[in-house]
Amino acid sequence: MPDIVIMIVQAAVATVLFFVMMFGIGFILNMLLKTTWFPMILFAIVLIGLLIWSPWDAESNPSLDNIGTYTAIYYLPIIGAMIGAYVSGWAINALRKGGYKMF
């Protein structure tokens, strides 16, 4: 029973950490490149590449079958990071509409 609790806490911490990390990276990229949704597109491209071409076992060939090797616990931080990338674009968009020219 305590192992499950530890895994849940680790998943929650990882999800929040990835959310904050992608929000920060996305916010900085949006400020520097003057784009709004570039981090979201970049994250999706990198994520698709990692899911397809990084299998867990070395004998597997890179293919879409590798996505099935991940369990739900691996998808939680990925979803948190995707939400962080989206929120960074939304925040930059809201700041620009609010009249802040530096963003």
Side-chain angles (χ1 to χ4, degrees):
M1 183 72 167
D3 290 337
I4 293 288
V5 173
I6 291 173
M7 288 177 61
I8 291 171
V9 170
Q10 285 177 345
V13 168
T15 303
V16 171
L17 180 69
F18 276 75
F19 172 83
V20 170
M21 184 176 62
M22 271 309 293
F23 178 82
I25 292 170
F27 196 85
I28 291 170
L29 279 175
N30 283 328
M31 276 194 314
L32 294 175
L33 300 176
K34 301 287 186 194
T35 63
T36 302
W37 301 111
F38 176 70
M40 186 80 167
I41 295 167
L42 182 66
F43 181 76
I45 291 169
V46 169
L47 182 67
I48 290 169
L50 286 176
L51 285 176
I52 294 174
W53 285 287
S54 64
W56 283 108
D57 51 350
E59 292 84 31
S60 294
N61 292 327
S63 66
L64 291 174
D65 296 335
N66 295 331
I67 294 173
T69 62
Y70 298 107
T71 59
I73 203 73
Y74 294 110
Y75 290 112
L76 287 176
I78 293 170
I79 291 169
M82 182 77 74
I83 292 171
Y86 173 78
V87 172
S88 73
W90 178 83
I92 286 289
N93 201 10
L95 286 170
R96 287 186 186 137
K97 284 181 181 177
Y100 292 95
K101 298 293 180 193
M102 63 185 289
F103 299 111

